[in-house]
Amino acid sequence: MTFKQIVWKMAKVQYKKYLIYFLCNSFAVMFFFMFSTVYFNERIIEAKKLDGIQDALAVPAVALVVFTVFFISYAHNVFMKRRKSEFGLFMTLGMSHRDISKLLLLENGVIGLCSIVTGIIGGAIFSRLFFLLLMKSVGLEEIPFHFNGSMFLYSIATFALVFLAAVGKSLFFTLKKDVIQSLRSNRTAETIKLKSPLFGGFGLVMMFGSILMLYFSFSKSNGGELLLWTIGVLIGLYISLNQSVSFLIELAKKNKPFYYRRLLLLTSLDYKFKQLTSILMLVTVMIMVTIIYTTLLLTIYQSSEKDAIEGNPYDIAIVQAKTKNNLSSEEISSIINKQDNPIKQHLKMPIFYSIQTLPGVEGYFTNVVISVDDFNKLTSQQKQLQEREYINYINEAPEYVGNSNDDHQELAFNIGSKERTYQQKGMIAVKSINNLSYLHEFIIVNQAEFELLKKNADGFAAEIQLFNVANWKNTADVVEILDKKVKHYSKTAPQIADRAGIPSQQEFFQMASKIDSYQYHKNSSGILFCVISFLSVIFFFGTFILLYLNLFSELDLEQAKYQKLYKIGITAREVKRFISNELATLFFIPLVLGTTLAYLYVAILATDVGGIMKNPEILLHFVIIASGYLCIQAGYFFYARRKMCTNII
């Protein structure tokens, strides 16, 4: 019998391990390709002004790549773990290291190519269904489904790089082992190099201590501190998963009856947690990240209408400079005013862009000046100002503005060769104008000073037109027409100023509306929510497979262990209870840890909007998503427990 015949016969007898390994790789390609059909679809970026959607999808893309690396590498390691003894047998029969290398490359080459083909075919079929459901759920049915080269190139290249790295690593370590080591691989337990209860306690303290530090420093922290404490949480989590059972065993020893009744379970869990630390860490982090993302995105998606109204007090706002190429008020009103959706309010507010030189350096900056009379009409207030007095007006809700209010601060405007100085008489923060660029902060003066500055100071005059209609949700067509006209006039109108720091003509002509803001937030957050939900299913499915493969790849060793326990008097009922407790710990500890960390992060992030108690919808969404995860994980657990008990008892 030739070597080829021996290898072929062994492969036919143990076809299941080849099939599982092939399916794992095929699923990895398919899921990555399905995500690529959304990420690399240019029509999504062009639709509804979703310019930043690809940047927002970058984080899920990185998470998917990281998961793919772990998934493929671990599936390959489990597959190779069962082959080492076979390689030892082949070498005793005369097969050389070169022959083993050829066999490894041939097997993995065939499986890799087949995985790419089936994964791409499966992805092409299911991605269309996924894409159509995704676009329908966020109201973008007009976006067509299509393929492009980037979808195929990145999916195949990512898989190939990870797969080749895993095969190369296995080839290197397999060929380093001699015949005896290979033959004994199935009967040699993995060495646990570190067992320190004190180190486990340190990991728990580090994890929750980092969370506390993040909580106390979050309100005044920057992105660097958030990253720093998150790294601390992850390091503490890894140490805890690796050493926490040793820490618990040390505590349990103080209660002898409790410890001895659970001695077998505790020692087995200690070994399992150290053996499966990477998988448990991956599962915990994926649960934490996906719950945080889906909770926040679902909240944003549900609050799209509220955010559109709060960010845009008027249904439509248009700002234009006083140039010869302008949309007239009559033309704008004729477009907006519809019989079934008439104009209910129309307010015109003159503004003046004062161009100031920067002292000591080359460059300019602008101050937007309005009169106190127009401000009073806008906000229904009764403010009054004297000559050379001003109020600093911030177009933002008070809770998002600092409390600084220096009434003695001076502001100077250049009037010809002289300076005209104004004294601050307070600061007002109120959201009264839509979100328009360069119109976040204003200088309020009285009407006479406003006319003086407009005539004599360096700058240019403009006008903001604000409209309210009967129903802002029916203004999509009107806004689209106005947007095209505004863009057309911005290109044909003369340049306002050609100086550094001054907005260009194209930047200055602009429009902001509730409907645009509503559609943007709803579509972008809706796409992200659906994509994250899709990835959550992939992560859960993938991590369950990895955990399942690891547990059942050593099924013969588990059977041998329990056969020995039967001989010393353990019953089948006790074995079943032991298996159930062990699997429950392995399946639910990552869920509990991931959910707890996710809740703490959501609570910390929610402090920016007043906290969870002031935003109960955030807590509701968290509970819904976490409950869904619990149901999925419970289903996995009951399936694995039944399978394990059936094979062992």
Side-chain angles (χ1 to χ4, degrees), residues 364-437:
Y364 304 85
F365 69 97
T366 59
N367 279 316
V368 185
V369 185
I370 60 174
S371 74
V372 70
D373 295 342
D374 289 319
F375 174 77
N376 288 336
K377 289 179 185 177
L378 178 70
T379 60
S380 300
Q381 297 195 32
Q382 300 297 322
K383 296 294 182 181
Q384 292 184 356
L385 289 171
Q386 303 301 318
E387 183 179 320
R388 297 189 180 224
E389 293 180 347
Y390 80 95
I391 296 173
N392 188 24
Y393 162 45
I394 309 295
N395 181 39
E396 192 58 83
E399 57 265 29
Y400 302 121
V401 179
N403 296 321
S404 62
N405 186 13
D406 186 2
D407 284 352
H408 302 289
Q409 186 172 343
E410 292 185 346
L411 180 65
F413 289 91
N414 296 321
I415 305 293
S417 59
K418 299 180 180 180
E419 277 192 350
R420 188 172 180 84
T421 305
Y422 292 80
Q423 191 81 22
Q424 183 174 342
K425 291 299 179 181
M427 185 188 76
I428 298 174
V430 58
K431 187 67 177 177
S432 302
I433 303 173
N434 294 25
N435 293 322
L436 293 159
S437 302

Coordinates of all heavy atoms in Angstrom, one line a residue, residues 364-437:
Y364 N -6.7 85.9 8.8 CA -7.9 86.7 9.1 C -8.8 85.8 9.9 O -8.7 84.5 9.8 CB -8.6 87.2 7.8 CG -7.7 88.0 6.9 CD1 -6.9 87.4 6.0 CD2 -7.8 89.4 7.0 CE1 -6.1 88.2 5.2 CE2 -7.0 90.2 6.2 CZ -6.1 89.6 5.3 OH -5.3 90.4 4.5
F365 N -9.8 86.4 10.6 CA -10.9 85.6 11.2 C -12.1 86.5 11.0 O -12.1 87.7 10.7 CB -10.6 85.3 12.6 CG -10.6 86.5 13.6 CD1 -11.7 86.8 14.3 CD2 -9.5 87.3 13.7 CE1 -11.8 87.9 15.1 CE2 -9.5 88.4 14.6 CZ -10.6 88.7 15.3
T366 N -13.3 85.9 11.2 CA -14.5 86.6 11.0 C -15.3 86.6 12.3 O -15.3 85.6 13.1 CB -15.4 85.9 9.9 OG1 -15.6 84.5 10.3 CG2 -14.7 85.9 8.6
N367 N -16.1 87.6 12.5 CA -17.1 87.7 13.6 C -18.4 87.9 12.9 O -18.5 88.8 12.0 CB -16.8 88.9 14.5 CG -15.8 88.6 15.6 OD1 -15.8 87.5 16.2 ND2 -14.9 89.5 15.8
V368 N -19.4 87.1 13.2 CA -20.8 87.3 12.7 C -21.6 88.2 13.6 O -21.8 87.9 14.7 CB -21.4 85.9 12.5 CG1 -22.8 86.1 11.8 CG2 -20.6 84.9 11.8
V369 N -22.0 89.3 13.0 CA -22.7 90.4 13.8 C -24.2 90.4 13.4 O -24.5 90.3 12.2 CB -22.0 91.8 13.5 CG1 -22.7 92.8 14.4 CG2 -20.5 91.7 13.7
I370 N -25.0 90.5 14.4 CA -26.5 90.7 14.2 C -27.0 91.8 15.1 O -26.3 92.1 16.1 CB -27.3 89.4 14.4 CG1 -27.1 88.9 15.9 CG2 -26.9 88.3 13.5 CD1 -28.0 87.8 16.3
S371 N -28.1 92.4 14.8 CA -28.7 93.5 15.6 C -29.5 92.9 16.7 O -30.1 91.8 16.6 CB -29.5 94.4 14.8 OG -30.7 93.8 14.4
V372 N -29.6 93.6 17.8 CA -30.4 93.1 18.9 C -31.9 93.0 18.6 O -32.6 92.2 19.1 CB -30.1 94.0 20.2 CG1 -30.7 95.4 20.0 CG2 -30.6 93.4 21.5
D373 N -32.3 93.9 17.7 CA -33.7 93.9 17.3 C -34.1 92.5 16.6 O -35.1 91.9 16.8 CB -34.1 95.0 16.4 CG -33.9 96.4 17.1 OD1 -34.0 96.4 18.3 OD2 -33.8 97.4 16.4
D374 N -33.2 92.1 15.7 CA -33.4 90.9 15.0 C -33.3 89.7 15.9 O -34.0 88.7 15.8 CB -32.4 90.7 13.8 CG -32.7 91.7 12.7 OD1 -33.9 91.8 12.3 OD2 -31.8 92.2 12.1
F375 N -32.3 89.8 16.9 CA -32.2 88.7 17.8 C -33.5 88.6 18.7 O -33.9 87.4 19.0 CB -31.0 89.0 18.7 CG -30.9 88.0 19.9 CD1 -30.4 86.7 19.7 CD2 -31.3 88.4 21.2 CE1 -30.3 85.8 20.7 CE2 -31.2 87.5 22.2 CZ -30.6 86.2 22.0
N376 N -34.1 89.7 19.1 CA -35.3 89.6 19.9 C -36.4 89.0 19.1 O -37.3 88.3 19.6 CB -35.7 91.1 20.3 CG -34.7 91.6 21.4 OD1 -34.1 90.8 22.1 ND2 -34.6 92.9 21.5
K377 N -36.5 89.3 17.8 CA -37.5 88.7 16.9 C -37.3 87.2 16.8 O -38.3 86.4 16.9 CB -37.5 89.3 15.5 CG -38.0 90.7 15.4 CD -37.9 91.2 14.0 CE -38.3 92.7 13.9 NZ -38.1 93.2 12.5
L378 N -36.1 86.8 16.8 CA -35.7 85.4 16.6 C -36.0 84.6 17.8 O -36.5 83.5 17.8 CB -34.2 85.3 16.2 CG -33.7 83.9 16.1 CD1 -34.2 83.2 14.8 CD2 -32.1 83.9 16.0
T379 N -35.8 85.2 19.0 CA -35.9 84.4 20.3 C -37.0 84.9 21.2 O -37.2 84.3 22.2 CB -34.5 84.5 21.0 OG1 -34.3 85.9 21.3 CG2 -33.4 84.0 20.2
S380 N -37.7 85.9 20.7 CA -38.8 86.4 21.6 C -38.3 87.0 22.9 O -39.0 86.9 23.9 CB -39.9 85.4 21.8 OG -40.5 84.9 20.6
Q381 N -37.1 87.5 22.9 CA -36.6 88.1 24.1 C -36.7 89.6 24.0 O -37.0 90.2 23.0 CB -35.1 87.7 24.4 CG -35.0 86.2 24.6 CD -33.6 85.8 25.1 OE1 -33.0 86.6 25.9 NE2 -33.2 84.6 24.8
Q382 N -36.3 90.3 25.1 CA -36.4 91.8 25.2 C -35.1 92.4 25.6 O -35.0 93.2 26.5 CB -37.5 92.2 26.1 CG -38.9 91.7 25.8 CD -39.4 92.2 24.4 OE1 -39.2 93.4 24.1 NE2 -40.1 91.4 23.7
K383 N -34.0 92.0 24.9 CA -32.7 92.5 25.2 C -32.6 94.0 24.7 O -33.1 94.3 23.6 CB -31.6 91.6 24.6 CG -31.6 90.2 25.2 CD -31.3 90.2 26.7 CE -31.2 88.8 27.2 NZ -30.9 88.7 28.7
Q384 N -31.8 94.8 25.4 CA -31.5 96.1 25.0 C -30.0 96.4 25.2 O -29.4 95.9 26.1 CB -32.3 97.1 25.8 CG -33.8 97.1 25.5 CD -34.5 98.2 26.3 OE1 -33.9 99.0 27.1 NE2 -35.8 98.3 26.0
L385 N -29.4 97.1 24.2 CA -28.0 97.4 24.3 C -27.7 98.9 24.0 O -28.4 99.5 23.1 CB -27.2 96.6 23.3 CG -27.1 95.1 23.6 CD1 -26.5 94.3 22.4 CD2 -26.2 94.8 24.8
Q386 N -26.8 99.4 24.6 CA -26.4 100.8 24.4 C -25.2 100.9 23.4 O -24.7 99.9 22.9 CB -26.0 101.5 25.7 CG -27.0 101.5 26.8 CD -28.3 102.2 26.4 OE1 -28.3 103.2 25.7 NE2 -29.4 101.6 26.7
E387 N -24.8 102.1 23.1 CA -23.7 102.3 22.2 C -22.4 101.6 22.7 O -22.1 101.6 23.9 CB -23.4 103.8 22.0 CG -22.3 104.1 21.0 CD -22.1 105.6 20.9 OE1 -23.1 106.3 20.9 OE2 -21.0 106.1 20.8
R388 N -21.7 100.9 21.8 CA -20.4 100.2 22.1 C -20.6 99.1 23.1 O -19.7 98.8 23.9 CB -19.4 101.2 22.6 CG -19.0 102.2 21.5 CD -17.8 103.0 21.9 NE -17.5 104.0 20.9 CZ -16.2 104.3 20.5 NH1 -15.2 103.6 21.0 NH2 -16.0 105.2 19.6
E389 N -21.8 98.5 23.1 CA -22.0 97.3 24.0 C -22.4 96.1 23.1 O -22.9 96.3 22.0 CB -23.1 97.6 25.0 CG -22.8 98.6 26.0 CD -24.0 98.8 27.0 OE1 -25.1 98.3 26.7 OE2 -23.8 99.5 28.0
Y390 N -22.0 94.9 23.6 CA -22.4 93.7 22.8 C -22.7 92.6 23.7 O -22.3 92.5 24.9 CB -21.2 93.4 21.8 CG -20.1 92.6 22.4 CD1 -20.0 91.2 22.4 CD2 -19.0 93.3 23.0 CE1 -19.0 90.5 22.9 CE2 -18.0 92.6 23.6 CZ -17.9 91.2 23.5 OH -16.9 90.5 24.1
I391 N -23.4 91.6 23.2 CA -23.7 90.3 23.9 C -23.1 89.2 23.0 O -23.3 89.2 21.8 CB -25.2 90.1 24.1 CG1 -25.7 91.2 25.0 CG2 -25.5 88.7 24.7 CD1 -27.3 91.2 25.1
N392 N -22.5 88.3 23.7 CA -21.9 87.1 23.0 C -23.1 86.0 22.9 O -23.5 85.6 23.9 CB -20.7 86.6 23.7 CG -20.0 85.5 22.9 OD1 -20.2 85.4 21.7 ND2 -19.3 84.6 23.6
Y393 N -23.5 85.7 21.7 CA -24.6 84.8 21.5 C -24.1 83.5 20.9 O -23.5 83.4 19.9 CB -25.7 85.4 20.6 CG -26.7 84.4 20.0 CD1 -27.3 83.4 20.8 CD2 -27.0 84.5 18.7 CE1 -28.2 82.5 20.3 CE2 -27.9 83.6 18.1 CZ -28.5 82.6 18.9 OH -29.4 81.7 18.4
I394 N -24.3 82.4 21.7 CA -23.9 81.0 21.2 C -25.1 80.3 20.8 O -26.1 80.1 21.6 CB -23.2 80.2 22.4 CG1 -22.1 81.0 23.0 CG2 -22.7 78.9 21.8 CD1 -20.9 81.3 22.1
N395 N -25.2 79.9 19.5 CA -26.3 79.2 19.0 C -26.2 77.7 19.3 O -25.9 76.8 18.5 CB -26.3 79.3 17.4 CG -27.5 78.6 16.8 OD1 -28.6 78.7 17.3 ND2 -27.3 78.0 15.6
E396 N -26.5 77.4 20.6 CA -26.4 76.0 21.1 C -27.2 76.0 22.4 O -27.4 77.0 23.1 CB -24.9 75.7 21.4 CG -24.7 74.2 21.7 CD -25.1 73.3 20.5 OE1 -24.4 73.2 19.5 OE2 -26.2 72.8 20.6
A397 N -27.7 74.7 22.7 CA -28.4 74.5 24.0 C -27.5 74.9 25.2 O -26.3 74.6 25.1 CB -28.9 73.1 24.1
P398 N -28.0 75.5 26.2 CA -27.2 75.9 27.4 C -26.4 74.8 28.0 O -25.3 75.0 28.5 CB -28.2 76.5 28.4 CG -29.4 76.8 27.5 CD -29.4 75.8 26.4
E399 N -26.9 73.6 28.0 CA -26.2 72.5 28.7 C -24.9 72.1 28.0 O -24.1 71.4 28.6 CB -27.1 71.3 28.9 CG -27.7 70.7 27.6 CD -29.1 71.2 27.3 OE1 -29.4 72.4 27.7 OE2 -29.8 70.5 26.6
Y400 N -24.8 72.5 26.7 CA -23.6 72.1 26.0 C -22.6 73.3 25.9 O -21.6 73.2 25.2 CB -23.9 71.7 24.6 CG -24.9 70.5 24.5 CD1 -26.1 70.6 23.9 CD2 -24.5 69.3 25.1 CE1 -27.0 69.5 23.8 CE2 -25.4 68.2 25.1 CZ -26.6 68.4 24.4 OH -27.5 67.3 24.4
V401 N -22.8 74.4 26.7 CA -22.0 75.5 26.6 C -21.4 75.8 28.0 O -22.1 75.6 29.0 CB -22.8 76.8 26.2 CG1 -21.9 78.0 26.2 CG2 -23.4 76.6 24.8
G402 N -20.2 76.2 28.1 CA -19.6 76.5 29.4 C -20.2 77.7 30.1 O -21.0 78.4 29.5
N403 N -19.8 77.9 31.3 CA -20.4 79.0 32.2 C -19.6 80.3 32.2 O -19.9 81.2 32.9 CB -20.5 78.5 33.6 CG -21.5 77.3 33.7 OD1 -22.5 77.2 33.1 ND2 -21.1 76.3 34.6
S404 N -18.6 80.4 31.3 CA -17.8 81.6 31.3 C -18.6 82.8 30.9 O -19.3 82.7 29.8 CB -16.6 81.4 30.4 OG -17.0 81.2 29.1
N405 N -18.6 83.9 31.6 CA -19.4 85.0 31.3 C -18.7 86.3 31.8 O -19.0 86.8 32.9 CB -20.8 84.9 31.9 CG -21.7 86.0 31.4 OD1 -21.4 86.8 30.5 ND2 -22.9 86.2 32.0
D406 N -17.7 86.8 31.1 CA -16.9 87.9 31.5 C -17.5 89.2 30.9 O -17.3 89.5 29.8 CB -15.4 87.7 31.0 CG -14.5 88.8 31.6 OD1 -15.0 89.6 32.3 OD2 -13.3 88.8 31.2
D407 N -18.2 89.9 31.8 CA -18.8 91.2 31.3 C -17.8 92.3 31.0 O -18.2 93.3 30.4 CB -19.8 91.7 32.4 CG -21.1 90.8 32.3 OD1 -21.2 90.0 31.4 OD2 -21.9 91.0 33.3
H408 N -16.6 92.1 31.4 CA -15.6 93.1 31.2 C -14.7 92.9 29.9 O -13.8 93.6 29.7 CB -14.7 93.2 32.4 CG -15.4 93.5 33.7 ND1 -16.0 94.8 33.9 CD2 -15.7 92.7 34.8 CE1 -16.6 94.7 35.1 NE2 -16.5 93.5 35.6
Q409 N -15.0 91.8 29.2 CA -14.2 91.5 28.0 C -14.5 92.5 26.9 O -15.6 92.9 26.7 CB -14.5 90.1 27.6 CG -13.6 89.6 26.4 CD -13.8 88.1 26.1 OE1 -14.4 87.4 26.9 NE2 -13.4 87.7 24.9
E410 N -13.4 93.0 26.3 CA -13.6 93.9 25.2 C -13.4 93.3 23.8 O -12.7 92.3 23.7 CB -12.6 95.1 25.4 CG -12.8 95.9 26.6 CD -11.9 97.1 26.7 OE1 -10.8 97.1 25.9 OE2 -12.1 98.0 27.5
L411 N -14.0 93.9 22.8 CA -14.0 93.4 21.5 C -13.8 94.6 20.6 O -14.6 95.6 20.6 CB -15.2 92.6 21.1 CG -15.3 92.1 19.7 CD1 -14.2 91.0 19.5 CD2 -16.7 91.5 19.4
A412 N -12.8 94.6 19.7 CA -12.4 95.8 18.9 C -12.7 95.4 17.4 O -12.4 94.3 16.9 CB -11.0 96.2 19.0
F413 N -13.3 96.4 16.7 CA -13.5 96.3 15.2 C -12.7 97.4 14.5 O -12.7 98.5 15.0 CB -15.0 96.4 14.9 CG -15.9 95.3 15.3 CD1 -16.5 95.2 16.6 CD2 -16.1 94.2 14.4 CE1 -17.2 94.2 16.9 CE2 -16.9 93.1 14.8 CZ -17.4 93.1 16.1
N414 N -12.2 97.1 13.4 CA -11.4 98.0 12.6 C -12.4 98.9 11.8 O -13.1 98.3 10.9 CB -10.4 97.3 11.7 CG -9.3 96.6 12.5 OD1 -8.9 97.1 13.5 ND2 -8.9 95.4 12.0
I415 N -12.4 100.2 12.0 CA -13.3 101.1 11.3 C -12.3 102.0 10.6 O -11.8 103.0 11.1 CB -14.2 101.9 12.1 CG1 -15.1 101.0 13.0 CG2 -15.1 102.8 11.3 CD1 -16.0 100.1 12.2
G416 N -12.0 101.7 9.3 CA -10.9 102.4 8.6 C -9.6 102.2 9.3 O -9.1 101.1 9.5
S417 N -9.0 103.3 9.7 CA -7.6 103.3 10.3 C -7.8 103.3 11.8 O -6.8 103.2 12.6 CB -6.8 104.5 9.9 OG -7.4 105.7 10.2
K418 N -9.0 103.3 12.4 CA -9.2 103.3 13.8 C -9.9 102.1 14.3 O -10.4 101.3 13.5 CB -10.1 104.5 14.2 CG -9.5 105.9 13.8 CD -10.4 107.0 14.2 CE -9.9 108.4 13.8 NZ -10.8 109.5 14.2
E419 N -9.8 101.9 15.6 CA -10.5 100.8 16.3 C -11.7 101.3 17.0 O -11.6 102.3 17.7 CB -9.5 100.0 17.2 CG -8.6 99.0 16.5 CD -7.9 98.1 17.6 OE1 -8.0 98.5 18.8 OE2 -7.3 97.2 17.2
R420 N -12.8 100.5 16.9 CA -14.0 100.8 17.7 C -14.2 99.7 18.7 O -14.4 98.5 18.3 CB -15.2 101.0 16.8 CG -16.4 101.5 17.5 CD -17.5 101.8 16.6 NE -18.7 102.3 17.2 CZ -19.0 103.6 17.6 NH1 -18.0 104.5 17.3 NH2 -20.1 104.0 18.1
T421 N -14.1 100.0 20.0 CA -14.1 99.0 21.1 C -15.5 98.8 21.7 O -16.2 99.8 21.9 CB -13.1 99.4 22.2 OG1 -11.8 99.5 21.6 CG2 -13.0 98.2 23.2
Y422 N -15.8 97.6 21.9 CA -17.2 97.3 22.5 C -16.9 96.5 23.8 O -16.0 95.7 23.9 CB -18.0 96.4 21.5 CG -18.4 97.2 20.3 CD1 -17.6 97.4 19.2 CD2 -19.7 97.7 20.2 CE1 -17.9 98.1 18.1 CE2 -20.1 98.4 19.1 CZ -19.2 98.6 18.0 OH -19.6 99.3 16.9
Q423 N -17.8 96.7 24.8 CA -17.8 96.1 26.1 C -18.8 95.0 26.1 O -20.0 95.2 25.8 CB -18.0 97.1 27.2 CG -17.7 96.6 28.6 CD -16.3 96.7 28.9 OE1 -15.5 97.5 28.3 NE2 -15.8 95.9 29.8
Q424 N -18.4 93.8 26.6 CA -19.3 92.7 26.7 C -20.3 92.9 27.8 O -19.9 93.2 28.9 CB -18.6 91.3 26.9 CG -19.5 90.1 26.9 CD -18.8 88.8 27.0 OE1 -17.6 88.8 26.6 NE2 -19.5 87.8 27.4
K425 N -21.6 92.6 27.5 CA -22.7 92.7 28.5 C -23.4 91.4 28.7 O -24.6 91.4 28.9 CB -23.7 93.8 28.1 CG -23.1 95.2 28.2 CD -22.7 95.6 29.6 CE -22.1 97.0 29.6 NZ -21.7 97.4 31.0
G426 N -22.7 90.4 28.7 CA -23.3 89.1 29.0 C -23.1 88.1 27.8 O -22.6 88.4 26.7
M427 N -23.5 86.8 28.1 CA -23.5 85.8 27.1 C -24.8 85.0 27.1 O -25.3 84.8 28.2 CB -22.3 84.8 27.4 CG -22.2 83.7 26.3 SD -21.0 82.4 26.8 CE -21.9 81.5 27.9
I428 N -25.3 84.7 26.0 CA -26.6 84.0 25.9 C -26.3 82.7 25.1 O -25.7 82.7 24.0 CB -27.7 84.8 25.2 CG1 -27.9 86.1 26.0 CG2 -28.9 84.0 25.0 CD1 -28.9 87.0 25.3
A429 N -26.8 81.6 25.6 CA -26.8 80.3 24.9 C -28.2 79.8 24.6 O -28.9 79.5 25.6 CB -25.9 79.3 25.6
V430 N -28.6 79.7 23.4 CA -30.0 79.2 23.1 C -29.9 78.8 21.6 O -29.3 79.4 20.8 CB -31.0 80.3 23.3 CG1 -30.7 81.6 22.4 CG2 -32.4 79.8 23.0
K431 N -30.6 77.6 21.4 CA -30.6 77.1 20.0 C -31.8 77.7 19.3 O -32.9 77.4 19.5 CB -30.7 75.5 20.1 CG -30.6 74.9 18.7 CD -29.2 75.0 18.2 CE -29.0 74.2 16.9 NZ -27.7 74.4 16.3
S432 N -31.4 78.6 18.4 CA -32.5 79.3 17.6 C -32.4 79.3 16.1 O -33.3 79.6 15.4 CB -32.5 80.8 18.0 OG -32.6 81.0 19.4
I433 N -31.2 78.8 15.6 CA -30.9 78.8 14.2 C -30.5 77.4 13.9 O -29.8 76.7 14.7 CB -29.9 79.8 13.8 CG1 -30.4 81.2 14.2 CG2 -29.6 79.8 12.3 CD1 -29.3 82.3 13.9
N434 N -30.8 76.9 12.7 CA -30.3 75.6 12.2 C -28.8 75.4 12.2 O -28.1 76.4 12.3 CB -30.9 75.3 10.8 CG -32.4 75.2 10.8 OD1 -33.1 75.8 11.7 ND2 -33.0 74.5 9.9
N435 N -28.4 74.2 12.1 CA -26.9 73.9 12.1 C -26.3 74.3 10.8 O -26.3 73.5 9.8 CB -26.7 72.4 12.4 CG -27.1 72.0 13.7 OD1 -26.9 72.8 14.7 ND2 -27.6 70.8 13.9
L436 N -25.9 75.6 10.7 CA -25.2 76.1 9.5 C -23.8 76.4 9.8 O -23.4 76.9 10.9 CB -25.9 77.4 9.0 CG -27.4 77.2 8.5 CD1 -28.1 78.5 8.6 CD2 -27.4 76.6 7.1
S437 N -22.9 76.1 8.8 CA -21.5 76.3 9.1 C -21.2 77.8 9.3 O -21.8 78.6 8.6 CB -20.7 75.8 7.9 OG -20.9 74.4 7.6

